Structure formats: structure tokens, C-alpha cells
Amino acid sequence: MDVFFYAVPAVIMTGAIFMAVVVVRRSLDMSRAWNSGLIAEARCLRSYTTTSGGGGDTSVSTTLHHVYEFMTRDGRTVRFEEPNGPATIVEGDIVPVHYTAERPEKATAHAPRRGLLAAGTVFTLVFCTVIVLFCIGFMVGIHGFFSMWDSAGSGGDEFEGTGLPF
């Protein structure tokens, strides 16, 4: 049963690290698109929402997605999907998109807001770091507890009912 106290925090840490990587990649993609100077007119082909949560006492989270299509300067037609767009954009609307010549499928229809992007990325990284550090602290603490417990069970007098070490 001891492995449970290591496996669960390890899974949580893996999720937090994965979330941090995804946020940093998306932030870099958006920054590159904004800094490239390449802008095209894109048509919104479709908009839809997805929901998550809502089981029992949890709240429902709704995300608005848009599917855009545009033509690059070299004549390629590119279609991409972007979450968290404004609700004012509907199917058929023409919007400016920023993209890079090397990876136009990583385009964004979000207007450049570098400060907001940086703040959101930093907040998410701090949040993920706190989760990882908490999990590491929990694992170290539980390891110390089980070590004292094992030594007390083997006849040692190191464990004298002092409680949890953390």
C-alpha cells in the first residue's frame, strides 16, 4: 500500500508538468505568430462549444472554439481550430489572423496582447510549480514517516509516537 502514496503524487506531478509544457508551447506559438508580421484574412467556417465537468457538485466549464480558413502569401490554404475565441465571431465572419511562414497551421486569430499572454503563462507556470513542489514535499514526508514506522516496527526506539514529520 506504500506505493499508493508515491504513485498518486507522481501522476499529479506528471499532469502538472504536461500542463506547463502545453501552456508554454501555445504561448510560444502565439508569440511567434504575432512577431512574424504575417497577417491574412481568414473566414470563420464554424464555431462550436465544448463542455466539461458538471458531475455532482462540480461546475460546468464551457469553451468556445472557432475553425478558421485562410490563404498564405504563397497560395496555400490553411485551416486551423482555436479555442477561447470571442463570442462575437460567428460563422462567415472575416477576421485577421497572425501566422508564421514555417508553420501557418499554428496561426492565431487572437489580437496581440503580449502582456496578458505573459501574465497568464507565468501564472500557470507558478501554479504548476506549486503543485509539483507540494507533491515532492508530500512524497518526502511520507517517506520519512514510513521509514520511522518501519524502524519502530523492527524494535528500534527512534519512533516514539511523535506523529507525522511534516
Side-chain angles (χ1 to χ4, degrees), residues 4-160:
F4 175 78
F5 291 104
Y6 298 110
V8 171
V11 169
I12 293 170
M13 286 190 316
T14 302
I17 292 168
F18 178 75
M19 185 168 82
V21 168
V22 167
V23 166
V24 168
R25 280 187 178 169
R26 181 62 184 153
S27 178
L28 290 173
D29 288 341
M30 289 180 76
S31 290
R32 287 183 192 123
W34 289 339
N35 293 332
S36 73
L38 297 174
I39 301 173
E41 287 187 346
R43 178 176 302 278
C44 178
L45 301 176
R46 179 173 180 235
S47 64
Y48 64 96
T49 58
T50 56
T51 56
S52 61
D57 292 335
T58 62
S59 63
V60 175
S61 173
T62 303
T63 304
L64 178 62
H65 300 263
H66 291 95
V67 178
Y68 299 104
E69 186 174 79
F70 69 98
M71 187 172 295
T72 63
R73 286 187 180 174
D74 59 2
R76 289 186 292 161
T77 300
V78 177
R79 184 178 293 186
F80 72 99
E81 179 180 330
E82 188 169 48
N84 300 320
T88 56
I89 296 176
V90 295
E91 293 178 25
D93 283 354
I94 304 293
V95 297
V97 294
H98 301 265
Y99 69 98
T100 61
E102 303 81 35
R103 307 223 27 216
E105 68 279 357
K106 299 284 185 178
T108 180
H110 291 289
R113 293 180 295 195
R114 289 168 180 82
L116 185 61
L117 179 66
T121 303
V122 167
F123 176 80
T124 304
L125 290 177
V126 168
F127 178 75
C128 291
T129 301
V130 167
I131 290 173
V132 168
L133 290 176
F134 177 80
C135 289
I136 290 171
F138 178 82
M139 291 167 72
V140 167
I142 207 72
H143 179 75
F145 177 74
F146 283 132
S147 295
M148 287 191 311
W149 188 266
D150 289 342
S151 65
S154 63
D157 57 353
E158 298 87 19
F159 182 70
E160 298 178 5

